[in-house]
Amino acid sequence: MFWNIGVTRTNPNKLLLIIAIMLSAMILPSFEIRSNLPHVRLDDALIFGAFAINLLLRLTRRSRSVYDIELSYHEGQRKGLRAVTKVFLLFLASIIISNLFGVIFLNVPFGIRDVMEGVTLAKYYLVITLALSLDLQEAEFSVLRKAFLVGFGFILLLAWSQLLNVANINAWLTPFFAQSHLNNLVDANPPRVLGTFDNPNVMGIVSVLTMTLFVTWFYFQRNDRSRAAILYLATGLALKLTLMTISRTAFLATAVVLIFLSLWAIFKLHFKKEILIKVSLLFILTLTIFYTSPRGFTSRMREATDLGNSSSAIGHFLQIGDAWGFIKQSPVLGWGTAKDKMTTLVDDEYALITRRYGVIGLAMYLWLFLRPAKAALRRVRLFNFYASEPGIRESKTLLAIAFVAATMVIFVYNLTAGAFYNLQLMTLVALFMGLIYRTEGESD
């Protein structure tokens, strides 16, 4: 594998690069180089820069592979690499076929902006394969977890500062993240916090994804009372952050994931008294935070149920309707990427993907998320929660449980927005995917 050479030849270097990419995706905005060029992210530079250096060293034969370290280590790595490569090749093939069909038979132009679709796909592939190349043991897992919690702590601090406008932060710092829509988001009445993201809906879904980790650890991990209390508090903070974004999609995803994980824990742990108490406590916490939320949040939730008069819902339906008209004309192979001909503003990623690449492309797109979820479910089935001792096996299994729940969150989010075309959000999801692929072929 190309991550086993060059600057990422050693496991500590891989870990440092993964942490840098993760923190960049969590807390840094994109940067404008020139007005006529796409914004650039630090994590883009890190992943493509490391790959370019490794490729150069490989071509000049200055770096040697380290495949002789440990047979079981590389077998798990190779299995994960084969799986993710197949997924991306299938998706890439559907994209190429759809674009050829669009250019030849539908007279759709193909331009530089359409080429960027391949660059986006390449970034996610590199991020996933970097994560799966990491030998994830207890020490590495602990460092990753602490780094993630530091990043989330920074997000929480910034979000509360935005809500309260501490030190007039919305005038000098928030604009770096909210590069558009500042007046009708953070400065609106009620304000919608966005943390380190450029849209409160993205912030909302990231807080839900984080909450899946906290809830999974709270339900399934062997915790003493103090640790359980900390996880309970962390879950409450993540839930409160979600409601502070006033994102209805994030709220729906919250309800889905809490019900899913609660039922899974109850049945998996056979209705034990301890888990029933935890589920009850989390239910009380959720209701308390919900009913003590500002009036602006509850009014926005009520508006969401009135689809006939909701301006937001009407806007979503109109954009999906436009895409559906094109889908009916070319349902199997779509129209190709066609960014210069058709709008990219479709508030439903399933509709956008189907319009571009047809139902075949949609199937490959869904498999991109479902394939690692399948691997995660397999690992959970093989784990005995009663016979196993706490350690790296338990940590990886809990990560797998959280990923299954996170996949459901992403699928809900894609109904009104989209994860794949948000480079900041999808980079975090891709790192998560890579860790799951890495554990698929392991026996530890």
Side-chain angles (χ1 to χ4, degrees), residues 1-2 77-93 121 124-126 128-129 132 364 367-368 371 437 440:
M1 178 190 282
F2 40 80
Q77 189 180 101
R78 284 194 293 268
K79 185 174 182 179
L81 181 61
R82 286 195 299 268
V84 70
T85 300
K86 288 179 182 178
V87 170
F88 273 81
L89 284 178
L90 287 171
F91 193 20
L92 178 62
L121 204 63
Y124 299 154
Y125 178 77
L126 291 176
I128 292 175
T129 52
L132 75 86
M364 298 303 101
W367 190 235
L368 176 69
R371 178 59 181 82
Y437 274 114
E440 181 180 14

Side-chain angles (χ1 to χ4, degrees), residues 12-74:
N13 284 358
K14 292 175 186 175
L15 181 62
L16 288 175
L17 180 58
I18 289 171
I19 290 174
I21 292 171
M22 179 179 67
L23 291 179
S24 170
M26 292 183 73
I27 66 178
L28 293 181
S30 56
F31 302 97
E32 182 181 19
I33 299 178
R34 292 181 59 180
S35 58
N36 59 340
L37 293 177
H39 288 194
V40 176
R41 297 195 50 78
L42 176 61
D43 38 277
D44 295 345
L46 288 172
I47 193 69
F48 284 114
F51 174 72
I53 293 173
N54 283 0
L55 182 61
L56 179 63
L57 291 175
R58 183 67 173 176
L59 292 175
T60 56
R61 297 183 179 181
R62 293 179 182 176
S63 179
R64 297 178 60 189
S65 174
V66 292
Y67 281 139
D68 56 346
I69 294 180
E70 185 178 343
L71 181 60
S72 61
Y73 165 69
H74 292 300

Side-chain angles (χ1 to χ4, degrees), residues 185-201:
L185 294 178
V186 176
D187 295 336
N189 186 22
R192 300 182 62 190
V193 304
L194 44 78
T196 56
F197 297 84
D198 63 354
N199 189 301
N201 295 318

Side-chain angles (χ1 to χ4, degrees), residues 168-317:
N168 200 26
I169 194 173
N170 292 331
W172 58 273
L173 180 58
T174 302
F176 285 103
F177 301 97
Q179 297 165 351
S180 60
H181 310 301
L182 182 64
N183 292 333
N184 61 345
L185 294 178
V186 176
D187 295 336
N189 186 22
R192 300 182 62 190
V193 304
L194 44 78
T196 56
F197 297 84
D198 63 354
N199 189 301
N201 295 318
V202 182
M203 179 68 266
I205 217 64
V206 169
S207 64
V208 179
L209 290 172
T210 304
M211 188 185 67
T212 63
L213 288 168
F214 294 149
V215 175
T216 299
W217 291 332
F218 179 66
Y219 279 163
F220 295 96
Q221 195 172 48
R222 302 173 186 227
N223 301 307
D224 54 30
R225 289 188 177 181
S226 59
R227 188 177 180 86
I230 292 174
L231 289 171
Y232 187 70
L233 175 62
T235 301
L237 289 173
L239 180 59
K240 182 61 177 179
L241 176 58
T242 302
L243 301 190
M244 286 161 57
T245 67
I246 318 184
S247 171
R248 291 169 292 200
T249 304
F251 178 72
L252 175 60
T254 298
V256 170
V257 77
L258 286 179
I259 293 172
F260 173 74
L261 284 175
S262 296
L263 291 176
W264 195 356
I266 289 172
F267 285 101
K268 187 72 176 179
L269 301 177
H270 304 292
F271 293 85
K272 289 179 63 177
K273 179 181 177 180
E274 181 182 357
I275 194 61
L276 292 176
I277 292 175
K278 287 183 177 181
V279 170
S280 300
L281 288 173
L282 201 54
F283 179 72
I284 294 171
L285 177 68
T286 303
L287 289 181
T288 301
I289 293 177
F290 178 80
Y291 283 110
T292 56
S293 296
R295 181 177 300 177
F297 170 79
T298 54
S299 63
R300 185 171 166 84
M301 292 300 111
R302 284 196 298 269
E303 183 196 9
T305 62
D306 186 6
L307 298 181
N309 297 316
S310 172
S311 59
S312 178
I314 292 173
H316 288 316
F317 292 147

